[in-house]
Amino acid sequence: MVTVSYYCESEFQDFSASSKKLLTTIGNLIYRFSKTFEYFELIFSAMGVFVNLFHLIVLTRQEMRTSSTFVIMAGIAACDFFNMGAIIWNSHNYNFQLFSTWEMAIFDVLRRENSYLGVLMALVRYSVIKYSMEAKFEYISKPIFGIFVFMVTFFCSSLVSGFYFYHCYLLETFEWSPPEQCRGYPANYTQMYYMPVITEEFFRRPWLGLQSFMFVDGLIKILPTILLPILTLLLLAEIRAAKRIRMKLSSNAEKSQPDHTTKLVTVMTVASMVAEGPIGLAYILQGFAGKSMGILKLSADFISCLTVFFTINSLTHCFISLIISTQYRKTARNLLLKKKMRKMVHTSFLTVL
């Protein structure tokens, strides 16, 4: 069996001969892993489309629109739903690639926004607990504040992605013709394949170019990983403090109700921290790559490998909510019971007819 080498030593400029050989071996290994992970990524993404659609429907019910925390969670679910759908999309002709490029841009916007919504959800929940006795902070817990947070993060993330995709265009790669065994095509049918690429000027620009953008974007994407553990510790401290206050105010400690919403936010915060951190490091690596095509390819394949953990994290949000949040479980159960009752009524009606 012949093993095809995707990397070659000439791609790793400014490295010693031994380092080039090692990086080539590592690159080919990561590339093979990325191709294997793509299958799992597609499976998890396909599952994620349906799971996050149900998750989004539950979170947008009237019973769940009670606080900014759940509104932000609905925003995260919307981002996850679109991102899972974007992963399973693929085509190569001009119209589809044009649409796909816009889809990639929106995916990048929502991918970044998803991370910061997790941070802001934890921050909002921390603020709600910390300043629950102060009237001037009541607006933080209102659903409208969650919508405001979603819109602001979407706008800021769009500015970052817009700077990159402004320098993209569709490049003709090769002309495809159907094989002889593929019937149904007109005679001499061909179709041009396209792929989105960045301009050479943006690639080579020393300042405000690709290298600077990748470094800054990597910092932006890794910042949530730095903030999330801090917010997790703050949330845990506030949970303990709130529990002590409830026990003091209650004559019977058993009457104290646990704060399931804060626990839900804390678990989702930890899960996001684990999923997002390595990807941010990979983007920073791209920023340090300079003009080395080998390092750029290696970091891109590394990101491709790590994306499967992002899909798994997106898939778990619904199940975490079902396990921890009583309010979420009740809403989901009522939603399913209503659909079951409608189906039974419809069946009974058809039977009578």
Side-chain angles (χ1 to χ4, degrees):
M1 180 179 177
V2 179
T3 303
V4 178
S5 179
Y6 180 69
Y7 287 79
C8 59
E9 295 184 11
S10 61
E11 292 176 318
F12 297 97
Q13 300 176 2
D14 302 325
F15 288 93
S16 64
S18 59
S19 297
K20 287 181 180 179
K21 187 175 181 179
L22 178 62
L23 288 170
T24 301
T25 303
I26 293 173
N28 286 317
L29 182 64
I30 292 177
Y31 174 73
R32 286 193 288 272
F33 272 118
S34 70
K35 291 301 164 186
T36 303
F37 284 170
E38 278 183 3
Y39 294 105
F40 295 102
E41 186 181 321
L42 287 172
I43 293 171
F44 290 134
S45 297
M47 294 169 59
V49 169
F50 296 102
V51 171
N52 281 295
L53 177 59
F54 173 76
H55 187 42
L56 182 60
I57 291 173
V58 174
L59 288 170
T60 51
R61 296 301 90 191
Q62 186 175 359
E63 304 96 298
M64 297 297 296
R65 298 197 302 267
T66 56
S67 70
S68 57
T69 301
F70 287 121
V71 172
I72 294 173
M73 282 181 62
I76 294 174
C79 293
D80 286 337
F81 173 72
F82 181 88
N83 290 337
M84 295 301 97
I87 288 174
I88 60 178
W89 175 273
N90 187 26
S91 190
H92 294 280
N93 67 40
Y94 183 84
N95 291 329
F96 277 111
Q97 276 297 326
L98 182 62
F99 176 79
S100 182
T101 303
W102 278 99
E103 181 190 49
M104 287 167 55
I106 297 172
F107 175 85
D108 189 62
V109 170
L110 296 182
R111 178 77 180 76
R112 189 183 299 104
E113 181 183 17
N114 197 331
S115 302
Y116 278 90
L117 283 177
V119 172
L120 292 170
M121 180 177 65
L123 182 60
V124 166
R125 193 60 194 172
Y126 168 77
S127 302
V128 167
I129 301 172
K130 181 74 173 178
Y131 305 107
S132 58
M133 299 299 180
E134 299 187 30
K136 63 180 180 181
F137 289 102
E138 282 185 2
Y139 70 94
I140 295 177
S141 63
K142 303 296 182 184
I144 190 66
F145 185 74
I147 298 174
F148 172 77
V149 168
F150 180 85
M151 297 305 295
V152 170
T153 51
F154 180 81
F155 176 74
C156 294
S157 185
S158 298
L159 289 179
V160 179
S161 297
F163 179 77
Y164 174 83
F165 283 94
Y166 174 77
H167 300 90
C168 286
Y169 68 98
L170 294 180
L171 175 69
E172 294 182 355
T173 53
F174 67 93
E175 194 173 50
W176 177 84
S177 58
E180 293 182 3
Q181 63 268 26
C182 294
R183 300 177 181 180
Y185 288 95
N188 301 320
Y189 177 85
T190 60
Q191 178 176 292
M192 186 62 67
Y193 266 40
Y194 295 84
M195 64 179 297
V197 295
I198 60 171
T199 62
E200 184 176 353
E201 185 264 340
F202 181 59
F203 179 77
R204 299 188 179 280
R205 191 190 298 167
W207 295 102
L208 297 178
L210 178 64
Q211 184 178 357
S212 302
F213 174 83
M214 287 298 181
F215 180 75
V216 173
D217 193 36
L219 290 177
I220 292 173
K221 287 175 177 174
I222 202 174
L223 184 59
T225 312
I226 299 171
L227 296 175
L228 285 171
I230 298 172
L231 289 169
T232 301
L233 293 174
L234 291 173
L235 278 169
L236 291 173
E238 287 304 316
I239 289 174
R240 294 192 187 96
K243 186 177 180 180
R244 286 194 298 268
I245 293 172
R246 287 197 304 268
M247 291 177 68
K248 288 180 181 178
L249 295 176
S250 176
S251 58
N252 187 352
E254 291 182 356
K255 294 180 181 178
S256 177
Q257 297 295 322
D259 188 356
H260 292 298
T261 302
T262 304
K263 289 181 181 178
L264 173 62
V265 172
T266 304
V267 174
M268 289 183 64
T269 300
V270 173
S272 298
M273 177 182 66
V274 174
E276 301 292 342
I279 295 179
L281 288 172
Y283 277 105
I284 291 178
L285 177 62
Q286 282 189 330
F288 282 116
K291 303 300 186 293
S292 175
M293 184 57 67
I295 298 296
L296 286 172
K297 285 171 60 178
L298 196 152
S299 57
D301 287 335
F302 185 53
I303 291 170
S304 180
C305 289
L306 294 173
T307 304
V308 71
F309 298 105
F310 162 69
T311 59
I312 293 172
N313 179 49
S314 299
L315 194 60
T316 61
H317 291 166
C318 177
F319 301 110
I320 291 173
S321 300
L322 281 170
I323 293 170
I324 298 178
S325 175
T326 305
Q327 184 178 352
Y328 185 94
R329 282 198 304 273
K330 288 181 179 178
T331 305
R333 183 168 57 248
N334 292 337
L335 178 65
L336 293 174
L337 286 174
K338 284 180 182 178
K339 288 186 177 181
K340 187 176 180 180
M341 288 297 296
R342 285 177 191 153
K343 187 177 180 180
M344 290 174 63
V345 170
H346 180 68
T347 304
S348 300
F349 179 73
L350 291 177
T351 303
V352 172
L353 292 178

